[in-house]
Amino acid sequence: VKYVEKRFQETKKDWILLVCLGAMSGLGRLVSGRIGDCIPGLKKIYLQVASFVLLGLLCMMIPQCQGFEGVIVICLFLGLCDGFFTTIMAPIAFELVGPMQASQAIGYLMGLMAVPMTAGTPIAGYLNDYFGNYDAAFYFAGVPPIIGGLVLSVVPLVHQRMLKKQRLDSGKDKMLVSEAQSLHSPSTGPFLDGP
């Protein structure tokens, strides 16, 4: 809102941006829930990856807007991306850590998200004071979601490797247990034949 007021001298319609963000976030949550139900397993994570990367790119595009209408269009898509990644977060946590640890995983995630959400506004104000405009703040704000999305895209591969290793380890454990049982079984003992 401050950016629009400063760049376009738009003070009477700046509330539209917040309405666009909120309304499209709500729509994004409804739509992504239905889409997420159609995507099996951890493949849902790619929906979140796409929303993170798009969110970062859209943030970086705000300074490129030549008019207030362009900012409105970007805010519509920003709200949609916000709705998508917020809704898909819980199902992904269930897929990754299971239902017993999902609430703890979501809690950690929300705690980590609170840090940039709290620090972002003062940092943007500092960058505005230093550079004389909000452009740098929007460029810097776009970088973490893009990096986060790229890191997140690797998670399914790491998760599959961990599951494969667990299966192999549990298979080895079962073989060791069955070998140990066969060695200590009375039917195969050394004194079975008698004198």
Side-chain angles (χ1 to χ4, degrees), residues 69-150:
E69 295 77 16
V71 178
I72 290 174
V73 170
I74 288 180
C75 282
L76 290 170
F77 285 104
L78 281 172
L80 199 62
C81 290
D82 174 70
F84 266 70
F85 87 76
T86 303
T87 303
I88 297 297
M89 198 181 326
I92 289 172
F94 273 86
E95 293 287 341
L96 283 173
V97 298
M100 298 302 287
Q101 288 86 22
S103 59
Q104 188 176 8
I106 294 169
Y108 284 138
L109 188 60
M110 292 293 190
L112 287 172
M113 284 174 59
V115 174
M117 293 179 107
T118 304
T121 305
I123 292 171
Y126 173 77
L127 290 171
N128 178 48
D129 292 343
Y130 187 79
F131 291 108
N133 59 39
Y134 285 105
D135 292 0
F138 285 112
Y139 291 130
F140 284 128
V143 172
I146 292 171
I147 292 173
L150 295 175

Side-chain angles (χ1 to χ4, degrees), residues 131-178:
F131 291 108
N133 59 39
Y134 285 105
D135 292 0
F138 285 112
Y139 291 130
F140 284 128
V143 172
I146 292 171
I147 292 173
L150 295 175
V151 169
L152 197 60
S153 66
V154 180
V155 168
L157 301 173
V158 173
H159 189 255
Q160 283 178 340
R161 284 187 180 169
M162 287 175 58
L163 286 177
K164 189 175 182 180
K165 185 178 180 210
Q166 282 178 343
R167 285 188 202 123
L168 288 173
D169 289 345
S170 67
K172 287 177 186 176
D173 290 344
K174 286 179 184 176
M175 285 175 43
L176 290 174
V177 167
S178 65

Side-chain angles (χ1 to χ4, degrees), residues 29-91:
R29 291 168 198 227
L30 293 172
V31 170
S32 64
R34 295 292 272 173
I35 293 172
D37 288 342
C38 298
I39 300 173
L42 257 186
K43 291 183 180 180
K44 292 178 188 66
I45 211 165
Y46 295 116
L47 190 60
Q48 195 165 29
V49 167
S51 65
F52 273 144
V53 172
L54 190 57
L55 188 83
L57 292 173
L58 289 167
C59 278
M60 293 176 156
M61 288 174 60
I62 289 175
Q64 306 300 318
C65 292
Q66 301 301 314
F68 179 62
E69 295 77 16
V71 178
I72 290 174
V73 170
I74 288 180
C75 282
L76 290 170
F77 285 104
L78 281 172
L80 199 62
C81 290
D82 174 70
F84 266 70
F85 87 76
T86 303
T87 303
I88 297 297
M89 198 181 326

